[in-house]
Amino acid sequence: MTAIRLSVVVPCYNEEEGLKELHQRVTAVCRETMGFDYELVLINDGSKDSTWQQMCELSTLDPNIVAINLSRNHGHQLALSAGLQMCRGERVFVLDADLQDPPELLPKMMEKMDQGCEVVFGQRIKREGETAFKKASAHFFYRLLDRLVDIDIPTDTGDFRLMSRRAVELLNSMPEHHRFIRGMVSWIGLRQEALPYERAARFAGETKYPLSKMIKFAIDAITGFSVRPLRMASYFGIGFGVATLGLLLYVLIHYFTGNSVDGWTSLAVIMLALGSIQLFVAGVMGEYMGRLYMEAKGRPLFIIQEVYTSPATASSSQHVETAANE
Ligand code: UDP
Ligand code: MG
């Protein structure tokens, strides 16, 4: 495999409206910075619209494009993992397809990397065109994560970053299925620096992260990097132990002063509270156990249906049934 200087990796799910614009802007900045020594790796994550057809059309015209079709929708983090596994660049630039993260920051990131960084990540100082709920939940989530995990995951970063081949290889060597890539990159360590930027609104279409996916993503992040929630059972146990002692004291005082305890309401409340806490703790344990089970199966992370490159380049549409951790 011949190495090239830069790979731009973009996972795409139903992004037909913005793909051409993405291609234009990425191509402009890459040509300016790298000449022709780059590849644009587009991953189609089982889109239901014409994203894949458009990718093939674009790559017929542009030999710098490598279009990868996954067998079905695998989710953002796995689609990105597929791209990271397949790309060949000495440096790898990760972008979202919706142009919320400006590709024009590439030269600045390259500059930082020239000074010896292994990872340069974009850090959002402002988010345009997103709902107040999305901004608030992201704000809360990154702070909660910071309190729960032991490694230092920078707040307000997405997957917008430039990575060295070394960092990408390290990332590719991690076999876990429930991937929270920005956390995994922090886990690697090495020299990493932030580049503050203002996040734009989506160029077209709407977010592919509805609330349900956001919650799943948040749970993956927390369970992937912290076992602290498992300890919650002990904390609840201690808390309720202390409360029980207080209650016992109350009951005894009433007993000796001859007052009957009017107990039904308080008993019912205590039982409900205990029941729900027990269920919650069992649920938390279940989350970890479920993940253990899924990981134990050792299935490949993603299945690639086909890879399409311009007929002008050596290998055109190859049908490969590649699995990830081979
Ligand atoms: N994406 C994907 N698979 C999915 C969901 C999203 O490949 O199942 C891609 C999507 O096309 C985009 C990126 O992941 O390039 C980020 O998604 P989005 O912009 O919808 O997320 P947001 O910016 O709203 O958090
Ligand atoms: Mg987006």
Side-chain angles (χ1 to χ4, degrees):
M1 241 202 284
T2 45
I4 37 180
R5 273 171 70 210
L6 179 76
S7 298
V8 183
V9 175
V10 189
C12 306
Y13 176 57
N14 295 344
E15 299 283 4
E16 60 180 6
E17 292 154 281
L19 212 57
K20 288 213 168 76
E21 177 76 11
L22 171 85
H23 174 238
Q24 266 171 17
R25 279 177 60 184
V26 170
T27 305
V29 69
C30 285
R31 293 261 159 96
E32 204 172 296
T33 331
M34 320 295 305
F36 284 89
D37 203 3
Y38 73 93
E39 62 175 357
L40 172 56
V41 181
L42 299 170
I43 305 102
N44 175 39
D45 186 19
S47 300
K48 293 181 183 65
D49 62 4
S50 67
T51 302
W52 175 245
Q53 284 80 348
Q54 280 201 33
M55 281 184 184
C56 293
E57 274 165 32
L58 283 172
S59 71
T60 308
L61 302 171
D62 180 352
N64 286 88
I65 295 183
V66 178
I68 296 173
N69 199 14
L70 296 187
S71 61
R72 59 171 171 81
N73 179 255
H74 283 66
H76 177 210
Q77 300 288 294
L78 291 179
L80 178 53
S81 304
L84 292 176
Q85 198 93 218
M86 297 295 286
C87 71
R88 298 169 295 155
E90 280 157 27
R91 290 180 180 182
V92 180
F93 188 39
V94 178
L95 277 181
D96 279 356
D98 57 6
L99 290 166
Q100 282 194 285
D101 311 314
E104 290 76 17
L105 288 182
L106 175 68
K108 275 196 185 155
M109 289 192 167
M110 289 295 249
E111 227 171 80
K112 272 189 184 279
M113 198 166 260
D114 289 338
Q115 292 157 10
C117 290
E118 299 279 348
V119 177
V120 184
F121 56 88
Q123 191 160 35
R124 310 182 272 248
I125 46 176
K126 214 168 141 194
R127 299 170 78 121
E128 299 274 349
E130 286 176 306
T131 59
F133 175 73
K134 174 119 191 174
K135 284 190 216 174
S137 55
H139 183 87
F140 169 74
F141 166 65
Y142 283 109
R143 268 90 200 150
L144 174 73
L145 191 63
D146 195 41
R147 295 194 66 147
L148 282 177
V149 303
D150 301 322
I151 54 163
D152 203 11
I153 301 176
T155 49
D156 303 322
T157 61
D159 288 316
F160 179 45
R161 50 169 55 80
L162 181 67
M163 288 184 275
S164 67
R165 172 58 33 198
R166 183 177 175 201
V168 171
E169 292 295 333
L170 286 167
L171 206 58
N172 287 344
S173 71
M174 299 187 203
E176 63 218 69
H177 280 238
H178 296 271
R179 296 171 96 75
F180 179 61
I181 293 178
R182 57 204 74 166
M184 292 161 70
V185 174
S186 303
W187 184 89
I188 293 175
L190 303 174
R191 194 170 145 199
Q192 310 204 1
E193 261 179 44
L195 183 77
Y197 76 105
E198 291 188 8
R199 192 167 211 225
R202 246 179 179 277
F203 171 73
E206 52 191 43
T207 177
K208 308 298 179 298
Y209 265 98
L211 184 63
S212 56
K213 274 194 195 170
M214 265 159 57
I215 292 174
K216 184 182 168 297
F217 189 56
I219 295 178
D220 277 349
I222 291 169
T223 53
F225 287 88
S226 172
V227 288
R228 236 170 261 182
L230 282 177
R231 246 174 263 152
M232 259 181 325
S234 331
Y235 296 146
F236 280 133
I238 294 168
F240 270 85
V242 173
T244 310
L245 283 180
L247 206 65
L248 194 67
L249 200 69
Y250 172 79
V251 172
L252 284 177
I253 291 171
H254 274 262
Y255 178 76
F256 286 115
T257 53
N259 294 328
S260 63
V261 181
D262 39 330
W264 190 82
T265 319
S266 54
L267 262 183
V269 169
I270 292 167
M271 268 178 57
L272 280 177
L274 270 179
S276 61
I277 284 169
Q278 278 169 352
L279 279 179
F280 175 72
V281 171
V284 171
M285 289 185 190
E287 286 288 339
Y288 283 90
M289 221 177 66
R291 280 168 170 69
L292 264 174
Y293 171 63
M294 296 306 278
E295 299 291 348
K297 287 201 265 201
R299 287 191 185 158
L301 295 181
F302 49 80
I303 308 285
I304 292 177
Q305 189 171 327
E306 59 190 310
V307 179
Y308 190 87
T309 49
S310 155
T313 43
S315 55
S316 77
S317 182
Q318 332 154 329
H319 286 263
V320 274
E321 248 125 69
T322 327
N325 31 8
E326 288 173 341

